[in-house]
């Protein structure tokens, strides 16, 4: 694998996993999203934890790494963080879990949860709708809608999302199992990712 933040398609990743070529799949979604559905054998390393502890994680990642999220945006950010920490063998799953599912590849599933991107659309849309409705009574409320629009524009331009980062910290997006640095490092050391039952 190359040192650039290259992509790999679901078919190629599935072949690598089937042949046991020493590739590790790091899923950077929230623990709740991961618990809901993930690639068998993947390790859950949430993006915020990965960014904060990339140097510590770097010491336990010497294999070829494929980064996964819902659609590819968070995995790309994770790849940039790990590349800055000196990890040379990174790829991003093109299209993320959406593409993986669409390819018919196996998925470990448990209780279904809304993914983070869908939650952001719900919250942003609800705030804008309420602000517009409130502006019929309180004219200044329209500026709340404008602020959300500006935030979404900034999120698109910078490929970051402050609202998504805040929502990721809600209990809904945290799995029942622990997902802290110590647990993740132990799993990486032992080569034993968490694997809820396949449905």
């Amino acid at each position: 694998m190359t040192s650039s933040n290259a992509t790999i398609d679901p078919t190629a990743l599935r072949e690598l996993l089937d042949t046991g070529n020493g590739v590790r799949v790091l899923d950077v979604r929230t623990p709740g999203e991961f618990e809901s559905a993930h690639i068998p054998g993947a390790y859950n390393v949430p993006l915020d934890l990965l960014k904060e502890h990339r140097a510590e994680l770097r010491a336990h990642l010497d294999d070829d790494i494929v980064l996964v999220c819902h659609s590819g945006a968070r995995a790309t950010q994770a790849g940039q963080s790990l590349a800055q920490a000196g990890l040379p063998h990174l790829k991003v799953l093109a299209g993320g879990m959406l593409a993986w599912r669409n390819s018919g590849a196996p998925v470990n599933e448990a209780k279904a949860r809304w993914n983070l991107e869908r939650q952001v659309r719900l919250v942003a849309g609800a705030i804008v709708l309420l602000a517009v409705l409130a502006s019929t009574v309180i004219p200044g409320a329209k500026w709340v809608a404008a602020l959300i629009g500006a935030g979404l524009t900034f999120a698109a331009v910078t490929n970051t999302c402050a609202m998504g980062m805040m929502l990721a910290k809600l209990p809904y997006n945290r799995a029942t199992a622990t997902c802290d640095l110590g647990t993740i490092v132990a799993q990486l050391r032992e080569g034993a990712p968490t694997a809820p039952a396949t449905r």
Side-chain angles (χ1 to χ4, degrees):
M1 292 191 182
T2 66
S3 59
S4 65
N5 214 6
T7 59
I8 184 170
D9 65 58
T11 304
L13 175 57
R14 195 170 177 181
E15 288 171 5
L16 280 175
L17 291 172
D18 288 346
T19 58
N21 276 348
V23 66
R24 283 200 198 201
V25 177
L26 301 187
D27 191 318
V28 301
R29 296 173 300 154
T30 66
E33 289 176 289
F34 179 81
E35 188 177 75
S36 175
H38 63 269
I39 296 171
Y43 296 83
N44 186 211
V45 186
L47 181 59
D48 56 349
L49 188 140
L50 181 143
K51 284 182 172 182
E52 185 178 345
H53 299 286
R54 63 186 175 198
E56 295 100 318
L57 291 169
R58 165 66 181 98
H60 302 283
L61 297 172
D62 53 359
D63 300 318
D64 290 332
I65 304 298
V66 175
L67 299 160
V68 179
C69 67
H70 179 65
S71 63
R74 285 178 278 173
T76 299
Q77 290 178 42
Q80 292 164 350
S81 286
L82 289 174
Q84 289 169 359
L87 194 63
H89 305 293
L90 299 167
K91 287 195 185 272
V92 171
L93 178 62
M97 282 300 293
L98 290 173
W100 182 262
R101 279 182 176 278
N102 289 339
S103 75
V107 175
N108 281 1
E109 293 183 307
K111 179 182 172 189
R113 296 175 187 237
W114 281 20
N115 66 63
L116 199 57
E117 292 168 26
R118 186 176 180 190
Q119 293 174 49
V120 168
R121 291 192 302 267
L122 172 70
V123 172
I127 292 172
V128 169
L129 177 62
L130 292 173
V132 170
L133 292 174
S135 70
T136 60
V137 179
I138 308 165
K142 66 183 176 192
W143 294 109
V144 174
L147 182 64
I148 295 296
L152 291 173
T153 302
F154 180 78
V157 171
T158 61
N159 199 26
T160 61
C161 184
M163 186 181 293
M165 288 186 271
M166 289 187 293
L167 290 172
K169 297 184 186 308
L170 293 176
Y172 175 83
N173 288 312
R174 297 292 174 189
T176 53
T178 58
C179 193
D180 56 47
L181 181 63
T183 304
I184 291 168
V185 167
Q187 290 173 353
L188 291 171
R189 235 188 258 134
E190 296 165 11
T194 332
T198 305
R199 184 170 64 179

